[in-house]
Amino acid sequence: MEYLKVEEGDQREPVSPTGQFLNSEALSLCILGVLELGVPISIDESHMDSLVKDVFLPTNPRFSSIMVEDENGEKLWKRVKVKIKDHIKTPTFPSGLSPKIYDKYIDDYISDIATEKLPVTRPLWQIHLINYPTSNSNAASSMIFKIHHSIGDGFSLIGVLLSCLQRADDPSLPLTFPSVPLSSTNKDSNGLFKKVSRIFSVVTNTVSDFYTSIVWSSLLEDDMSPIRSGVAGVEFRPFSVATVTFSLDHIKQIKSNIGAKTVRVQAKQIQLHWCCSTRGNFAVMFPIKEMIKLDSKTPWGNYFAFLHVPLPKLTDDDSTSYSNPLEFVWKTREIINAKKSSLGVYLTGRLLQVLKILRGPEAAARYIHGTIKNVSMGITNLMGPVEPMTLADHPVTGLYFMSVGAPHSLVTTIMSYNGQLRIAIGAEKGLIDAQKLKSCIEDAFQTILKAACDDDT
């Protein structure tokens, strides 16, 4: 990674440790935020400049900064003058084609921009205006925001995009998000035995998770499989994007019927409903602070962590017990619940800080790269607004995001919006058929929904 040297008197601020890890020789991660619009984009150049200058850039000074190094090799954010036209891209495709064909053009375009590095001499973001229809959400056009992960975590970056939007029903009102129920403690569970049991569970799971993280980041790796090629540099290979949408009402119905505690966990269980007879894990990347509300006081940074979760195996010996698809869901939930009663992610965060102090940020970045590379897939999720939105009077019919630059053959992201849950799949071309995987997930969801609503199950 090439960095510009800082000059005396420059306006600058330190780059956070995690920001340094995510923009290094070993690792460079970005977020793609995709807004699907119900009408063609009719924003002229001057209006677009005004939107970026007056709405987007003021959200954080890092959108007007580049990453540089001082005389001691420390990375800093340096404020620069932004040439907006250098950050706005408008691709041209053949005209008069069907939305299905444009799906392929846009898929290839997303693959191209995902693997291209952002110029280090400019602030680390781009906006792509795609004025062609797609079959997704009956969109007439799309806007893609590419923002480097060193600027902030997914919580912060998606929050920036949403802060540029308005409620369709009443622009004067703020966007609202699904409520996050606070965990309550049962009064009957305050006995000494329960407390000791809970402490023992936390200690045991913490030791297990921390040990697993170190081993899988440094010594072991998942087996090669239909969802993992294991090739070096997989993050630079072309990939396909497919999305699938589910009704949140259906997911809540499944959650209620099987006794799941949160919709978010249930969404991950749906995503994992395939059989795996080989050794496999997935890395869950999640923000430490939940997106409860969006306002100017939302904290900025890279407050996220990785959590190793094993893919439940299904062998011939298990075929009878897993004849009921909910058995697989319950097993997955059991694993997730055990991971939740663990402090392993915090110990891993401390380990990264120690690595940075003793061996420098590149060593910590290589450790994170190994953490991601050695597992089969990555998964992360965010909550989106409850009500429909507009951008400069353009109705937003669909919303999803994708994490790119990670050394995975398969990455999935999950986001809710306007009563729906959108799962986006980023799959390595030549290894995974993204459309076939999408179809499998849809079939799995219908199977789970049918089983959860069947009184005889």
Side-chain angles (χ1 to χ4, degrees):
M1 181 72 66
E2 177 188 358
Y3 297 100
L4 304 178
K5 294 296 182 181
V6 70
E7 297 178 2
E8 190 68 28
D10 286 330
Q11 189 175 359
R12 48 189 172 168
E13 65 170 301
V15 178
S16 69
T18 308
Q20 297 182 46
F21 304 156
L22 299 181
N23 189 21
S24 63
E25 295 286 351
L27 195 63
S28 181
L29 299 185
C30 292
I31 292 287
L32 299 182
V34 182
L35 299 178
E36 295 167 336
L37 307 176
V39 297
I41 298 173
S42 58
I43 307 174
D44 58 30
E45 183 177 346
S46 61
H47 191 191
M48 191 66 199
D49 286 354
S50 177
L51 280 175
V52 173
K53 181 180 178 181
D54 300 332
V55 179
F56 180 71
L57 294 183
T59 57
N60 195 276
R62 296 173 199 170
F63 291 116
S64 303
S65 304
I66 60 175
M67 194 176 290
V68 298
E69 287 184 353
D70 65 11
E71 61 277 3
N72 299 317
E74 291 295 321
K75 296 176 184 177
L76 307 167
W77 291 113
K78 172 189 172 183
R79 294 293 294 271
V80 297
K81 182 177 181 180
V82 180
K83 296 180 179 179
I84 295 176
K85 66 177 183 179
D86 292 339
H87 296 263
I88 308 297
K89 311 294 180 182
T90 307
T92 301
F93 304 145
S95 59
L97 304 179
S98 69
K100 281 288 186 182
I101 297 179
Y102 282 127
D103 286 348
K104 178 65 168 59
Y105 275 97
I106 295 174
D107 180 40
D108 291 340
Y109 184 77
I110 291 177
S111 179
D112 289 341
I113 66 174
T115 53
E116 290 177 355
K117 287 199 172 183
L118 293 168
V120 297
T121 55
R122 303 172 188 164
L124 300 173
W125 59 270
Q126 293 175 342
I127 299 176
H128 301 260
L129 309 178
I130 303 178
N131 223 342
Y132 299 92
T134 71
S135 61
N136 292 331
S137 302
N138 296 316
S141 60
S142 305
M143 294 183 66
I144 303 175
F145 292 75
K146 180 179 180 180
I147 306 175
H148 202 281
H149 229 318
S150 60
I151 293 178
D153 54 33
F155 171 86
S156 302
L157 298 183
I158 295 300
V160 165
L161 302 189
L162 298 179
S163 69
C164 300
L165 305 176
Q166 296 177 315
R167 282 179 56 157
D169 57 346
D170 188 345
S172 66
L173 296 177
L175 297 172
T176 59
F177 298 86
S179 59
V180 180
L182 300 176
S183 58
S184 58
T185 302
N186 192 316
K187 294 182 179 180
D188 296 333
S189 65
N190 290 330
L192 178 62
F193 177 78
K194 291 290 184 73
K195 289 181 179 179
V196 172
S197 176
R198 191 181 306 118
I199 293 173
F200 180 77
S201 175
V202 170
V203 171
T204 302
N205 290 329
T206 297
V207 172
S208 174
D209 288 346
F210 187 53
Y211 171 77
T212 299
S213 176
I214 293 175
V215 169
W216 238 264
S217 298
S218 308
L219 301 174
L220 298 180
E221 63 179 83
D222 285 4
D223 297 331
M224 302 303 103
S225 72
I227 61 171
R228 182 174 187 265
S229 67
V231 301
V234 66
E235 62 265 41
F236 306 115
R237 294 173 65 88
F239 70 91
S240 293
V241 175
T243 66
V244 57
T245 302
F246 299 125
S247 165
L248 275 175
D249 288 338
H250 285 164
I251 294 174
K252 291 175 182 177
Q253 186 177 6
I254 295 171
K255 180 209 72 169
S256 175
N257 288 6
I258 70 171
K261 292 186 177 180
T262 66
V263 171
R264 180 177 61 183
V265 171
Q266 180 60 31
K268 291 175 182 174
Q269 293 162 353
I270 292 167
Q271 174 69 13
L272 293 174
H273 188 67
W274 63 66
C275 302
C276 182
S277 60
T278 58
R279 180 175 61 187
N281 291 262
F282 67 98
V284 178
M285 185 173 76
F286 57 93
I288 293 176
K289 296 180 182 290
E290 296 291 346
M291 182 185 291
I292 299 176
K293 62 179 181 178
L294 183 69
D295 56 33
S296 59
K297 297 180 181 179
T298 298
W300 267 81
N302 272 293
Y303 304 98
F304 70 84
F306 290 99
L307 184 65
H308 283 81
V309 179
L311 287 166
K313 294 184 179 181
L314 179 58
T315 63
D316 292 339
D317 294 337
D318 299 319
S319 58
T320 301
S321 62
Y322 283 110
S323 59
N324 177 0
L326 296 184
E327 292 285 349
F328 193 87
V329 176
W330 286 319
K331 178 62 177 177
T332 305
R333 190 183 67 182
E334 179 183 323
I335 295 172
I336 293 291
N337 286 340
K339 297 292 181 180
K340 288 164 64 178
S341 61
S342 167
L343 301 176
V345 292
Y346 298 99
L347 292 182
T348 301
R350 293 293 184 184
L351 176 61
L352 290 175
Q353 298 305 315
V354 171
L355 280 175
K356 178 182 180 294
I357 294 171
L358 298 181
R359 301 177 58 189
E362 284 294 335
R366 287 192 295 271
Y367 184 90
I368 296 174
H369 185 276
T371 299
I372 304 172
K373 178 183 70 70
N374 291 348
V375 298
S376 294
M377 62 177 288
I379 184 170
T380 186
N381 66 307
L382 291 171
M383 290 186 291
V386 172
E387 52 276 312
M389 305 178 294
T390 62
L391 174 64
D393 296 325
H394 293 61
V396 178
T397 60
L399 170 67
Y400 66 94
F401 73 102
M402 178 63 62
S403 177
V404 297
H408 283 311
S409 294
L410 178 62
V411 177
T412 59
T413 61
I414 305 171
M415 190 166 191
S416 61
Y417 170 55
N418 190 27
Q420 295 182 323
L421 193 80
R422 190 77 171 270
I423 297 179
I425 305 162
E428 180 186 348
K429 286 186 177 180
L431 175 71
I432 304 170
D433 186 329
Q435 294 300 323
K436 184 176 291 186
L437 179 55
K438 168 186 173 179
S439 178
C440 290
I441 294 174
E442 289 174 323
D443 290 344
F445 178 82
Q446 294 302 324
T447 300
I448 293 174
L449 178 62
K450 183 176 183 297
C453 298
D454 187 348
D455 293 335
D456 295 330
T457 303

